[in-house]
Amino acid sequence: MNLTLKIWRQKDSNAKGQMVDYKVTDISEHMSFLEMMDVLNEQLVNTGEEPVAFDHDCREGICGMCSMYINGEAHGPDRGITTCQLHMRMFNDGDTITIEPFRAAAFPVIKDLVVDRMAFERIQQAGGYISVNTSGNTQDANSIPISKHAADEAMDAATCIGCGACVATCKNSSAMLFVGAKVSQYALLPQGQVEAADRVKNMVAQMDLEGFGNCTNTGACEIECPKGISLDNIARMNRELMKANIS
Amino acid sequence: MALDSKVPKGPIKDKWTDYKNHIDLVNPANKRHIDVIVVGTGLAGGSAAATLAELGYNVKAFAYQDSPRRAHSIAAQGGINAAKNYQGDGDSTYRLFYDTVKGGDYRSREANVHRLAEVSANIIDQCVAQGVPFARDYGGLLDNRSFGGVLVSRTFYAKGQTGQQLLLGAYSAMNRQIARGKIEMFNRHEMLDVVKVDGKARGIITRNLITGEIERHSAHAVVIATGGYGNVYFLSTNAMGSNATAAWKIHKKGAYFANPCYTQIHPTCIPRSGDYQSKLTLMSESLRNDGRIWVPAKIEDAQAIQQGKLKPTDLAEEDRDYYLERRYPAFGNLVPRDVASRAAKERCDAGFGVNATGEAVYLDFAAAIERYGKEQAKIQNIDNPSEEKIYELGQAIVEAKYGNLFQMYEKIVDENPYETPMMIYPATHYTMGGVWVDYNLMTTVEGLYCIGEANFSDHGANRLGASALMQGLADGYFVLPYTIGDYLSDDIRTGKIPTDTKEFEEAEKEVKDRIDFFINNKGTKSVDHFHKRLGKVMWDKVGMARNEKGLKEAMAEIKAIREEFWKEVKVPGSANEMNPELEKAGRVADFLELGELFAKDALVREESCGGHFREESVELDGPQKGEAKRNDKDFAFVSAWEYKGEPADAVLHKEELEFNDIELKQRSYK
Ligand SMILES: Cc1cc2nc3c(=O)[nH]c(=O)nc-3n(C[C@H](O)[C@H](O)[C@H](O)COP(=O)(O)OP(=O)(O)OC[C@H]3O[C@@H](n4cnc5c(N)ncnc54)[C@H](O)[C@@H]3O)c2cc1C
Ligand code: SF4
Ligand code: FES
C-alpha cells in the first residue's frame, strides 16, 4: 500500500517542532509499524535527509521503549499492544497517518518522536523497591507461602512496562496508572508490607513534584495501556495512601 | 601470555566456599574510596551495580536505553533455573551442574559451572525477597516447569515474562541505591572505549546519546555487562540495539575473545515474512512442553501447503511426520535447542517446510488441548464429555499457560494458533562465546571484568534453556561482588583516578576521530545495507551448519564487505546531537570485524559440538548415524583469541579443559 505520513520533526529539546509530510510506497500489510518507519528512514538516508528519530529496542512489546502517538492514540489504533507490535494490516492503501511523540509536560521532547521519561525513573527511585540487601543467606523462598490469587494479581500489576502511554493518553497527563501498578505489586505481597506506608507516600509525592496531573477517573489510560493494567490499581493506591496517612 | 584460569585447588564442591574464606576483603570504611564502573544494566550489570553499591563502593552505571529497566534481559520469557528441588524429583546442585556441562557439550569450565549451580538457589530466595512475583501453585508455594534437555522441573517463571520480572527486581535494587547516591546512573550513554593506565583498566570513554558529548569516566575497576553479539546476524531475537561494541573494544585493548563461533540458534521463533524484516520474535521454549513439532510426511503434501492449496488441519495423523519424536524417542520434542534446530533445518532443506518460503515447521497444540480437556473433565466429574466440551476445557488450560504467547503470535502472523498449528523456524538467539574470563570473571586485562552473556564462561558450546538468567544474576549478585573485592583490596590507597591524563586523552581522540570519519564520509549506502549483507553471509555460511569451504568464503566476503563499508557508508546528521544512524554505524563497524573472527573460529574448530555443527564431523554409522560428532581428543579446549589488527591475524590461545568430576560422553537424546 501507499501512505502519506505526517510526522512531528523537532531538532532538539529547545527547537520548535512542526509536522512534516512524507510519502512511502509499496508497504506490505505484514510489516510492523516500525518496519514501515525503517523503510521511510532508509529512503531519507538515501536522499541525504536526516532520518526520523524514534525510540525502540526489543520490538516485541516488552521493553517499553517505543512511544508513538499515532492518529491521536498512544501506540496507535490496535488494543493491548505497543507501537512495535502494531501491524500495517490495521491501515488501508491511501491512508494518511499522523505520528507524534507522547505529549505531557513531564515528558519533554528530546528529538522528533523521542521523549524524556526520566520522571518515571525518579518516581521509582522514591520508593519503588523493597529494602533488602543481597547476602546469599536470605530466607528460603518458600518460607512465606503467598496465595496464588495474590501472586497472580501482583504479577498482573507488575507487567507494566513503563512506556508512558497512560500519561500520554490522559487529558490531565496523570501518571496514576503507572504509579498505582507499582504500589499495588508490593501492596499485594507480604514482602512489601513493612515499607508500605512510606512507599506510597514517597512515590505519590514525587509524582506530584514531577508535574503529572490529577486523576479524574476518565479511564482512558486503562483502554490504551498495552499491558491491560487495570484501574483497580489506582483504587488500591488511593486506599494505600489513605491507610498511610492515617497511621 | 599463557592463560591462567585461576581455578582454586581442592574438591569441586569445596572450591567456592574455600575461595570465599581465603580472599582479601576491603573494610567497609575503605569501600567508599573505591569507584567501580559497570557498563550495561541488564540482569548481570544491574544486579552487580546494586550489590556493589550495597557493599559501599561508588558505582557508576551505564546503559544505552533510557532506563535500566529496558535492557534486553527484559525480553526473556521462559524462566530461570535453580537447584531447589522443590518438586522432589531428584534435583540437586550436582545434577544442575551435570546437566549444564552435558548440555554445553563438554566445552565449559567445570569449576565455574559448579559454582553457578551452587549459588542458583540463593537467586530465587533473593528475588522473592525483592518482591518478584513468581508463579505459585494453589498451596501458595513456588511453581516449576521443565525446560528442554533435562529430566527434572527446576525452572521458576513469572507468566511468560520471567526476564522482565527479574530485571525489575534488579532495577528496584538499583533504584534504592540511586536514591542513596551510591549508584550514579548514566542512561542513554554508550561506551565507546576502555582506558588502560599502567596495564590496568581505569576508565571508559562514552558518548552521551542525547547531546553527542564525548565523556571520560574513571574508576578503580571496570565491569562489562553488555550482553551478547547475536545481532552480527542482523536478524536475531535480540533487541535492535544489542551490540558487541563494548566487548569488541576491550578485545582490541587486550581482552581475549573466546569461542566466538558458539552461537545458539533457537528452534522456536516466528518465521521470517519478508525482506523488510527487522528482527525475529522468539516463541518461548516452554511451548515445547505441550506442543508437538511436525511437517508433512509426504513431499506432495508439503508442496501443496507451500502453495496454499492445503491446510495443516486437513492432514491425517499418519500423513504427519513428528520428526523429533521419531528421531529422539527418549526426549522427543524436548531435545536441546541445537538438536531441535538442526532437525528443523534438515526437514526444510529436504523440501518439507510449511510456508511460502519453505522455512517453517509446525508446532501443534491439538493433542495438548485434548489431553488437558480430558484431564479437566475427570477433575470436574463430567461424565461422557462431548468433543466440544473437551476442547473447551483443554483450551482454557492451554490459554492459562501460554495465553500471552499465543496472543503475541496472532498479532504478528494474523492466524489463530488454537485453530491452526503455529509455524516456527530457528533463529539466532544467544551467544555462548564472548570475552574470555578467569574464575574471578576477570578478563586478560587487569581490573577489567566481564559478566553475563558478554562473557564466555558457563555454557560451553550450547546453553540450556533458562540458564542465561541464572548466570547473569549469579555473576552479578553472588560471584563478582566477592571476586572484585579481592582485586580492589590493593586499591584502598590509590585515590581517585584522574581523567586529565594522556591515556584518557588518547582514547578520547580515537573515539572522536572515528565519529568524525563517519559524519564526514561521502558514502552512498546506509549502515543497514551493510549490516544486512553481513547478516546474510553469517546465516548462509556460518549458521546452523558450517563447512570448510563456506567458512573460508565467509571470511573473505566479510572482509570485502568491511572494506566497502569504510569507503561507502553514509551517515547523515551531525556528531553533536541525537543520531541513531551514527550509533548504528559504530556498532556495525565492530560486527564487521567480529563476524570474520567468528568464521575463523568456526573454521579452526574442526569438530561438531553443541551449537557449532561442522558438516565434516558427523557419526558415519551406528545408532547415532548422522548426529554431530565431537572430538574430545583434539578439541577439548577453549579458543581464546588475541587481537593483532586484522581479525584474520588473531592469535589462538588454548585453555585446555579438564573434566575430573564428569565423564565425557556423547550426548544422546535418543
Ligand atoms: C527473546 C529472548 C528470550 C530469552 N529467554 C530466556 C529465558 O527464558 N531464560 C533464560 O535464562 N534466558 C533467556 N534469554 C537469554 C537472556 O535473556 C540473556 O542472555 C540475558 O538476559 C542477558 O543479560 P545481560 O545482563 O548479560 O545482558 P543484557 O540484558 O543484554 O543487557 C545489556 C546491557 O548493556 C547495555 N549496553 C550494551 N552495549 C552498551 C554500550 N556499548 N555502552 C553502554 N551500555 C551498553 C544495555 O543498555 C543493557 O543495559 C532470552 C533471550 C532472548 C533474546
Ligand atoms: S500502566 Fe500501562 S500505559 Fe502506563 S506505563 Fe505501564 S504499561 Fe504503559
Ligand atoms: S520496542 Fe520494546 S516495547 Fe516496543
Side-chain angles (χ1 to χ4, degrees):
Chain A
M1 54 185 130
N2 301 330
L3 302 163
T4 304
L5 307 173
K6 290 186 175 303
I7 303 181
W8 182 260
R9 302 298 312 254
Q10 180 173 336
K11 183 109 188 101
D12 55 43
S13 52
N14 299 317
K16 242 182 92 205
Q18 56 175 2
M19 299 299 288
V20 178
D21 287 6
Y22 299 96
K23 295 238 180 281
V24 284
T25 54
D26 287 332
I27 298 299
S28 153
E29 59 175 18
H30 295 302
M31 276 184 196
S32 72
F33 196 82
L34 295 186
E35 282 165 351
M36 183 278 292
M37 292 295 291
D38 292 341
V39 170
L40 169 70
N41 276 347
E42 179 85 14
Q43 197 174 301
L44 293 177
V45 173
N46 288 336
T47 55
E49 279 174 78
E50 232 192 287
V52 180
F54 60 89
D55 264 332
H56 65 112
D57 203 27
C58 73
R59 294 209 178 185
E60 49 188 71
I62 194 74
C63 73
M65 253 336 239
C66 62
S67 53
M68 293 182 193
Y69 204 69
I70 302 162
N71 285 346
E73 286 182 275
H75 296 308
D78 208 353
R79 288 286 168 263
I81 53 152
T82 51
T83 300
C84 59
Q85 293 173 296
L86 180 63
H87 273 74
M88 294 314 292
R89 61 181 83 94
M90 295 297 294
F91 299 91
N92 299 311
D93 188 31
D95 277 1
T96 297
I97 308 176
T98 313
I99 310 171
E100 292 172 87
F102 278 5
R103 295 202 190 273
F107 289 170
V109 172
I110 294 175
K111 179 174 186 168
D112 297 340
L113 304 171
V114 178
V115 298
D116 177 346
R117 286 172 288 199
M118 290 309 289
F120 271 12
E121 297 297 294
R122 290 184 292 266
I123 294 173
Q124 299 271 39
Q125 289 155 18
Y129 50 78
I130 289 169
S131 298
V132 52
N133 278 358
T134 318
S135 64
N137 49 27
T138 318
Q139 67 176 331
D140 184 83
N142 259 348
S143 58
I144 311 175
I146 302 176
S147 80
K148 179 167 167 48
H149 180 72
D152 286 350
E153 252 192 311
M155 177 66 210
D156 286 343
T159 52
C160 163
I161 56 174
C163 63
C166 44
V167 174
T169 298
C170 177
K171 65 179 172 34
N172 310 318
S173 299
S174 166
M176 292 286 269
L177 196 63
F178 167 76
V179 183
K182 203 69 211 170
V183 167
S184 289
Q185 177 195 341
Y186 293 129
L188 286 158
L189 297 171
Q191 289 83 359
Q193 299 310 315
V194 180
E195 297 163 284
D198 284 342
R199 174 178 307 113
V200 67
K201 282 199 263 187
N202 292 340
M203 289 181 79
V204 168
Q206 187 64 35
M207 172 177 82
D208 293 340
L209 210 65
E210 297 289 348
F212 291 104
N214 286 325
C215 172
T216 50
N217 284 315
T218 47
C221 54
E222 184 186 44
I223 297 169
E224 292 293 350
C225 171
K227 294 292 146 186
I229 301 295
S230 127
L231 289 176
D232 297 346
N233 291 296
I234 299 186
R236 190 177 296 107
M237 176 169 72
N238 286 333
R239 283 197 304 275
E240 288 289 314
L241 192 60
M242 241 154 43
K243 241 185 353 195
N245 285 335
I246 295 166
S247 59
Chain B
M1 184 173 76
L3 282 174
D4 179 1
S5 63
K6 305 222 172 83
V7 171
K9 300 260 170 313
I12 196 152
K13 61 178 194 354
D14 301 331
K15 283 183 198 288
W16 180 232
T17 310
D18 283 352
Y19 172 96
K20 285 191 292 183
N21 287 339
H22 292 101
I23 49 172
D24 289 333
L25 300 176
V26 183
N27 99 37
N30 282 329
K31 289 197 182 107
R32 73 175 88 98
H33 301 303
I34 294 182
D35 306 327
V36 181
I37 283 175
V38 179
V39 186
T41 50
L43 284 183
S47 58
T51 308
L52 293 172
E54 285 165 8
L55 288 170
Y57 299 106
N58 308 310
V59 176
K60 283 178 154 191
F62 297 81
Y64 71 77
Q65 296 94 343
D66 68 344
S67 163
R69 69 176 297 153
R70 308 204 199 281
H72 182 55
S73 294
I74 199 106
Q77 301 167 348
I80 176 165
N81 289 331
K84 276 286 197 189
N85 195 26
Y86 282 160
Q87 305 304 325
D89 55 3
D91 201 8
S92 63
T93 298
Y94 181 82
R95 200 174 276 278
L96 175 53
F97 159 63
Y98 175 84
D99 285 345
T100 309
V101 173
K102 175 190 174 200
D105 219 356
Y106 308 95
R107 290 293 174 265
S108 43
R109 195 189 283 148
E110 269 191 343
N112 286 51
V113 179
H114 198 276
R115 175 176 65 189
L116 174 66
E118 278 174 64
V119 303
S120 66
N122 290 154
I123 297 175
I124 304 304
D125 300 339
Q126 183 63 28
C127 294
V128 166
Q130 288 170 341
V132 170
F134 284 119
R136 288 176 184 266
D137 60 23
Y138 284 99
L141 302 180
L142 293 162
D143 195 18
N144 291 117
R145 51 169 59 141
S146 71
F147 246 53
V150 302
L151 299 169
V152 293
S153 272
R154 63 161 74 100
T155 305
F156 294 79
Y157 64 100
K159 269 200 180 161
Q161 285 131 280
T162 316
Q164 175 192 35
Q165 293 310 318
L166 297 174
L167 183 60
L168 292 180
Y171 169 65
S172 70
M174 280 187 77
N175 279 333
R176 178 167 160 244
Q177 298 305 324
I178 295 172
R180 289 177 60 213
K182 289 305 289 182
I183 297 180
E184 199 182 344
M185 182 66 215
F186 295 85
N187 294 309
R188 294 197 198 264
H189 274 68
E190 182 162 25
M191 165 182 160
L192 295 177
D193 213 345
V194 63
V195 182
K196 283 188 356 189
V197 180
D198 298 333
K200 293 180 175 173
R202 291 299 199 187
I204 60 172
I205 305 293
T206 60
R207 180 168 180 271
N208 177 327
L209 300 181
I210 299 179
T211 62
E213 196 179 334
I214 304 299
E215 301 166 357
R216 305 174 183 186
H217 298 275
S218 71
H220 298 90
V222 175
V223 181
I224 302 296
T226 49
Y229 52 87
N231 274 350
V232 69
Y233 285 88
F234 184 71
L235 285 181
S236 81
T237 62
N238 288 6
M240 299 299 288
S242 295
N243 69 89
T245 289
W248 194 252
K249 287 289 158 33
I250 66 170
H251 172 56
K252 290 176 115 170
K253 289 274 162 83
Y256 292 2
F257 206 97
N259 302 332
C261 81
Y262 291 163
T263 324
Q264 182 160 83
I265 314 263
H266 196 293
T268 55
C269 302
I270 299 180
R272 209 167 60 90
S273 76
D275 290 336
Y276 47 79
Q277 191 96 26
S278 59
K279 73 154 282 170
L280 294 167
T281 302
L282 176 80
M283 291 276 98
S284 167
E285 173 157 46
S286 60
L287 293 171
R288 283 202 278 144
N289 277 320
D290 281 314
R292 297 179 70 194
I293 294 176
W294 63 276
V295 293
K298 296 191 207 128
I299 193 87
E300 30 326 340
D301 288 344
Q303 284 159 355
I305 286 178
Q306 287 160 15
Q307 291 154 10
K309 291 183 195 149
L310 191 69
K311 289 212 290 285
T313 41
D314 296 338
L315 281 190
E317 213 39 42
E318 60 273 19
D319 291 330
R320 303 174 176 198
D321 175 16
Y322 296 93
Y323 58 86
L324 287 176
E325 298 170 23
R326 167 169 61 77
R327 286 178 63 177
Y328 307 100
F331 279 70
N333 294 296
L334 289 176
V335 291
R337 294 172 175 179
D338 55 328
V339 178
S341 290
R342 276 197 300 279
K345 177 177 156 61
E346 188 277 327
R347 282 294 78 194
C348 292
D349 285 353
F352 291 90
V354 296
N355 70 356
T357 65
E359 292 194 334
V361 299
Y362 289 127
L363 178 63
D364 198 334
F365 288 85
I369 291 177
E370 193 181 320
R371 176 164 48 86
Y372 284 123
K374 286 187 178 152
E375 212 175 277
Q376 282 301 310
K378 265 210 194 93
I379 293 171
Q380 300 178 16
N381 286 322
I382 304 173
D383 290 334
N384 298 322
S386 65
E387 265 183 39
E388 288 78 45
K389 188 69 196 170
I390 290 176
Y391 183 85
E392 184 194 312
L393 293 169
Q395 188 188 7
I397 299 292
V398 169
E399 185 171 350
K401 289 186 116 170
Y402 310 111
N404 58 333
L405 297 170
F406 276 45
Q407 186 204 10
M408 181 159 98
Y409 180 86
E410 188 169 358
K411 286 282 178 204
I412 294 175
V413 182
D414 205 20
E415 279 181 3
N416 180 343
Y418 294 102
E419 287 164 11
T420 180
M422 276 184 184
M423 285 181 293
I424 53 166
Y425 198 66
T428 303
H429 177 61
Y430 183 87
T431 48
M432 283 75 67
V435 178
W436 186 89
V437 288
D438 62 17
Y439 188 75
N440 301 320
L441 304 179
M442 198 197 279
T443 68
T444 46
V445 175
E446 243 188 296
L448 183 58
Y449 291 80
C450 189
I451 59 176
E453 190 175 340
N455 76 22
F456 88 106
S457 68
D458 299 348
H459 309 292
N462 175 51
R463 175 176 69 77
L464 289 179
S467 285
L469 302 182
M470 170 173 72
Q471 183 223 332
L473 290 181
D475 287 359
Y477 282 138
F478 298 117
V479 179
L480 182 82
Y482 285 97
T483 62
I484 204 171
D486 190 35
Y487 171 78
L488 290 171
S489 61
D490 286 341
D491 261 322
I492 51 178
R493 278 182 210 89
T494 308
K496 265 226 154 334
I497 309 291
T499 56
D500 55 355
T501 57
K502 77 170 192 316
E503 290 88 352
F504 275 89
E505 200 170 304
E506 278 164 15
E508 182 186 279
K509 182 169 180 312
E510 237 179 274
V511 165
K512 281 187 168 159
D513 286 350
R514 184 153 108 150
I515 289 174
D516 289 343
F517 170 86
F518 285 133
I519 294 293
N520 296 322
N521 193 44
K522 300 272 172 286
T524 54
K525 295 187 182 104
S526 70
V527 176
D528 276 358
H529 167 90
F530 294 101
H531 197 179
K532 285 183 183 173
R533 275 170 58 191
L534 169 67
K536 184 156 170 36
V537 175
M538 292 298 299
W539 185 247
D540 290 346
K541 297 183 174 164
V542 204
M544 274 184 279
R546 304 157 178 181
N547 60 50
E548 184 183 342
K549 177 167 165 288
L551 291 169
K552 286 186 172 152
E553 286 166 7
M555 284 183 69
E557 286 168 29
I558 294 168
K559 182 167 193 271
I561 299 172
R562 186 170 68 241
E563 283 166 0
E564 190 184 332
F565 171 87
W566 284 104
K567 287 195 197 101
E568 288 298 330
V569 69
K570 174 162 160 176
V571 178
S574 74
N576 306 319
E577 61 174 337
M578 176 173 268
N579 189 339
E581 287 295 314
L582 178 62
E583 294 163 27
K584 279 199 282 187
R587 294 169 190 165
V588 171
D590 295 331
F591 281 137
L592 282 165
E593 293 180 10
L594 169 60
E596 190 180 337
L597 182 66
F598 190 136
K600 183 180 164 101
D601 186 48
L603 183 65
V604 168
R605 191 165 285 278
E606 293 168 345
E607 64 160 350
S608 293
C609 63
H612 171 64
F613 183 69
R614 281 290 296 264
E615 288 167 357
E616 301 93 334
S617 186
V618 294
E619 297 290 345
L620 296 175
D621 44 36
Q624 301 287 335
K625 186 166 178 228
E627 298 295 321
K629 185 174 177 193
R630 216 176 56 225
N631 174 352
D632 295 326
K633 191 166 108 342
D634 302 316
F635 291 97
F637 60 81
V638 174
S639 307
W641 295 95
E642 181 183 1
Y643 182 78
K644 288 282 180 196
E646 287 286 304
D649 302 334
V651 171
L652 176 64
H653 300 264
K654 294 180 184 174
E655 179 194 341
E656 296 295 340
L657 292 168
E658 283 172 38
F659 294 90
N660 300 317
D661 292 84
I662 288 182
E663 185 196 347
L664 272 73
K665 284 199 190 134
Q666 186 184 25
R667 282 193 310 165
S668 170
Y669 296 94
K670 293 257 180 204

